[in-house]
Amino acid sequence: MRKILAYPLTVVYFIFFGLLLLIFHPIQWICLNVFGYEAHKKSVSIMNLGILRLTHLLGTRYSFAKESELPRDRPLILVANHQSMYDIPMIIWFLRACHPKFVSKMELGKGIPSVSYNLRHGGSVLINRKDSRQALTEISKLGKYIEETKRAAVIFPEGTRSRDGHPKNFQLMGLRILMKTAPSALVVPITINNSWKMLRYGKFPHGIASHLKMQVHAPMEQNSDPEALLDKVEKKIKESIKNS
């Protein structure tokens, strides 16, 4: 019964979601080219709040918890597990004060109104997952960018989303590069729960009545033993994953 109900609700959601992306594409362009970075960043934050609000049409609820306040005068490396594309609006909106920038696959950099524009012009980097040299170069650029601007880099070490909520093995090379190129950055583990349920049936229909949860753990200082820190970050994220 729930899946049957999901079909008409998803159609309605997709209509409004598409309209939202089409509306905010020119808004982003105007904000960036006329008013500059801060206006563009605000437009992106509002757009992602809009996405979160639209998912209420599907009965989606959200919980956000933060163990401690995150400083705004330090660069941050936000490390999260990856369960669906709906992880991203949560991070952008709930952590908007940190100015999150993403390590994203190159394919998302074109063809998607609003989303592709923000990835190309908002400070994120696009990587070719088939070209490790290009990927590591772009990640290095992002590390240097956040070190200079005191903003935040977001990386999903699993590389691709988990389709059932169970975490995949972490690939830590990109995180190592960010830590090396942003040596003053705090490393912030983030655990996301239940966003995989939005795509439990695939892309259509969307899952309904899901309760998405995002937990931001206490930031960790980089130290003389980066491998021990990486192990600690991975353990902290994974031990808080609960598929319920």
Side-chain angles (χ1 to χ4, degrees), residues 73-77 140-153 178-186 222:
D73 59 350
R74 298 273 302 272
L76 303 173
I77 300 173
S140 178
K141 289 179 182 177
L142 180 59
K144 293 174 182 176
Y145 171 83
I146 65 166
E147 181 72 15
E148 178 181 346
T149 60
K150 305 297 186 289
R151 292 170 184 161
L178 284 176
M179 290 169 59
K180 182 178 180 181
T181 52
S184 70
L186 293 169
Q222 296 189 50

Side-chain angles (χ1 to χ4, degrees), residues 89-132:
M90 286 195 292
I91 291 172
I92 291 177
W93 175 250
F94 290 123
L95 297 178
R96 60 193 180 279
C98 303
H99 298 249
K101 312 302 177 186
F102 290 81
V103 177
S104 182
K105 60 184 181 181
M106 186 170 288
E107 292 82 355
L108 297 179
K110 56 184 178 180
I112 309 173
S114 287
V115 174
S116 297
Y117 187 87
N118 179 48
L119 288 173
R120 293 196 311 272
H121 301 285
S124 297
V125 295
L126 296 165
I127 63 171
N128 183 348
R129 292 188 293 186
K130 297 179 180 179
D131 185 343
S132 59

